[in-house]
Each structure stands twice: as structure tokens, then as C-alpha cells.
Amino acid sequence: MKLVFATHNAHKHAEVKQLLPAHIEFLSLSDIGCTEDIEETGSTLEENAMIKARYVLNNYGYNCFADDSGLEIDVLDGAPGVYSARFAGPEKSNSANIKKVWEKLKGKSSTAAQFRTVIGVCIDGKEWQCEGKVRGHMTREKRGEKGFGYDPIFVPEGHTQTFAELGDEIKNKISHRARAIHEFLASISAY
Ligand code: ITT
């Protein structure tokens, strides 16, 4: 089966590629000539994941899945959530986003948080969603060089190092995206 993963984020594409079985022909947006930005106009992770998957199906005719992920901080009522990429502004700067998290957490005693991924799927005329979460807490300093986004300031539960220190091998076993992908893989095992 040919299957498009609708992301322009090369790091995410590489992460997911390592998790998919070899018999699935895994295509990227550039493989199918989709270079435009797919506008994420939804107000939830669920809506945005479906918008991206349906866009590829409707405009390019491929079976597709798309993920939308976000960092949800408990004492900030789940912010930045669906706005994680643009938390500090439309330029989507990781360092500005991290600074804004620290500002918002000033004076708060808890930094408990989770990463959550929703996968929207459009395959052979059917649509469904899968979800994965990883609980943890935010640090008040950056640690580690690996990963992307908020990885240098997120320590997953059961660990003392950030995702950026732990690296892909461990992250791919326990991350929100890995958990959502495993649920997704189980859901397509018959294909
Ligand atoms: P696409 O929409 O093209 O897939 P994106 O970078 O916008 O790529 P998401 O919408 O899924 O990715 O994620 C929104 C933001 O949430 C992302 O830019 C990061 O800042 C953050 N994020 C998501 N997953 C993350 C992870 O595994 N580690 C660290 N930060 C992450």
C-alpha cells in the first residue's frame, strides 16, 4: 500500500519512517509534489489532523495519515496545545516558544505536562483517529541537543533526562507520537 504522511517536518517524517513496516510504501509530501503549506485552521488537534489527511486525499488522491501534536501544560489549562508551534508568534521560533513557556510558568509550583498526538487517517474511503500521550514535566533550563521543538525542556515520566538528552532511540519507544503510531499500525494491520 502507498501511504502519504502529511507533514513538512523532516524530523517527524524520519522519526515515523523508523516505526513503519517495510511493506508499506511510505511517501512524503515532497514525494507527491505537495509543496504548499496545508493550513491548520482547526481549534483542536483532532480537527487539524483530519484537515491535513483529507487535504491530501482530496487534492492528490492518496491514502494518507497526518498527525497534529502539541504540548499540554496542566497549570496553563492545556496551553500551548494546538498552538504549540506558534505559541510565541507566527515565525514559529523554538527558542521564543521555550522562553514563553518559562514566562508563563514563573511562580507556578507544578510544571506537570504532557505531549499529545492525534493521528487523522483517510484510507480506502474510511476515516478514523488514533491518539498517544506521554506525561512528564517541564524543566526551567534547556538540556540536550537532540530532537526538536520543546524536547530540551521536557522530561518524560520515569526518566531524569529531557527528550533532547535521551535521543531518538528512547524517544521513539515512549513518545506521544510513537504511541499514536503504534495504535495506528494496529488499526491498519489488515492492509
Ligand atoms: P507539521 O504540522 O508539518 O506536521 P509541525 O512542526 O507544525 O509540523 P505539529 O503541528 O505536530 O508539528 O506540532 C506542533 C508543535 O508542537 C511543533 O512545532 C513543536 O513545537 C511541538 N512538538 C510536537 N511534537 C513534538 C515533539 O515530539 N517534541 C518536541 N516538540 C514537539
Side-chain angles (χ1 to χ4, degrees), residues 63-180:
N63 285 332
C64 181
F65 68 103
D67 87 315
D68 202 27
S69 306
L71 172 68
E72 299 176 331
I73 300 176
D74 294 5
V75 290
L76 304 183
D77 294 328
V82 72
Y83 304 107
S84 293
R86 304 160 263 164
F87 194 34
E91 53 291 334
K92 299 186 176 177
S93 154
N94 282 333
S95 55
N97 287 341
I98 287 174
K99 276 196 192 128
K100 185 155 178 188
V101 166
W102 287 335
E103 268 165 37
K104 296 265 180 200
L105 285 177
K106 252 184 214 153
K108 310 269 190 208
S109 54
S110 164
T111 66
Q114 64 184 16
F115 275 120
R116 191 165 73 93
T117 293
V118 175
I119 295 181
V121 191
C122 293
I123 294 180
D124 294 353
K126 288 183 224 122
E127 286 191 352
W128 68 94
Q129 293 175 352
C130 304
E131 188 193 54
K133 289 179 195 175
V134 57
R135 297 279 310 161
H137 70 270
M138 312 311 297
T139 61
R140 298 191 194 259
E141 74 289 312
K142 270 193 199 180
R143 299 196 325 240
E145 303 295 328
K146 299 170 195 135
F148 69 103
Y150 298 94
D151 282 344
I153 61 164
F154 182 84
V155 176
E157 237 169 40
H159 292 262
T160 53
Q161 293 182 300
T162 66
F163 265 155
E165 292 174 306
L166 290 168
D168 277 357
E169 206 180 316
I170 295 175
K171 184 178 174 188
N172 279 345
K173 289 196 181 114
I174 61 168
S175 80
H176 47 313
R177 192 166 303 104
R179 287 174 177 159

